Amino acid sequence: MLTWLTKLAIGAAALGVLSAPAALASNGDDESAVAGVRQATAAYHDLDKAVAANYGRLLPCFDSPGVGGMGQHYVDTSRLDATIEANRPEALVYEVDGNRLQLVAVEYIVPWTAWVSTTPPQLYGRAFFSNTTLHLWALHAWIWRPNPTGMFANYNPRVKLCPGH
């Protein structure tokens, strides 16, 4: 079982890294590449189905005023290993809209302790962001809410800021 500190580290990785380089803007190839994960996660617009599939809420909603929202992360902590499966993301990201959560993105997370290569993990032709504080690799994919800063950027200016911001 993960300790609370490990869960906190994993959740913070879900935030992305503010100092990470900006993701490249998406192109038409990105849309076809993510078609499988879009189909695989479509049922998780219903939060009850996500919870039944072992995704649990981790930490509070995250945003960066002036940059954009990210949302509330639901993570399957049993999948935090070196295995990267495009159609089985470790995290689902929900926009908080009043009392409603709306699925907007997925996130892939790999702990450094599980990754033995000296090069970062990659998916969809993109290298994961390195979180040096928490020793984690992460990659967002904004498959349910278009992101003008790029499909693989950490924050999305089209996602509402968390309540209270």
Side-chain angles (χ1 to χ4, degrees):
M1 178 175 212
L2 297 174
T3 66
W4 69 270
L5 183 56
T6 303
K7 286 183 180 182
L8 179 63
I10 292 163
L15 291 176
V17 181
L18 289 176
S19 62
L24 299 173
S26 30
N27 58 43
D29 293 341
D30 292 339
E31 288 299 323
S32 60
V34 299
V37 71
R38 190 175 277 127
Q39 181 178 356
T41 59
Y44 303 140
H45 285 282
D46 179 337
L47 185 61
D48 291 336
K49 290 182 180 177
V51 171
N54 205 32
Y55 287 96
R57 181 180 171 162
L58 194 62
L59 299 176
C61 178
F62 294 105
D63 61 22
S64 181
V67 177
M70 188 179 293
Q72 177 65 57
H73 291 71
Y74 278 72
V75 179
D76 180 349
T77 57
S78 71
R79 304 202 68 260
L80 296 173
D81 54 26
T83 303
I84 302 165
E85 296 178 69
N87 295 340
R88 291 188 66 209
E90 288 75 15
L92 304 171
V93 184
Y94 292 86
E95 176 183 56
V96 178
D97 186 5
N99 292 328
R100 195 181 111 204
L101 295 179
Q102 182 174 356
L103 182 61
V104 293
V106 298
E107 184 174 5
Y108 302 92
I109 301 169
V110 177
W112 278 8
T113 56
W115 192 252
V116 296
S117 176
T118 57
T119 60
Q122 290 192 18
L123 186 62
Y124 305 120
R126 302 296 196 288
F128 282 41
F129 296 112
S130 175
N131 183 321
T132 57
T133 302
L134 301 172
H135 300 168
L136 298 165
W137 301 100
L139 180 69
H140 285 87
W142 295 94
I143 63 170
W144 295 108
R145 176 72 51 86
N147 187 344
T149 60
M151 182 178 287
F152 302 101
N154 283 328
Y155 291 93
N156 187 335
R158 292 186 179 159
V159 170
K160 292 180 182 184
L161 297 181
C162 299
H165 287 175

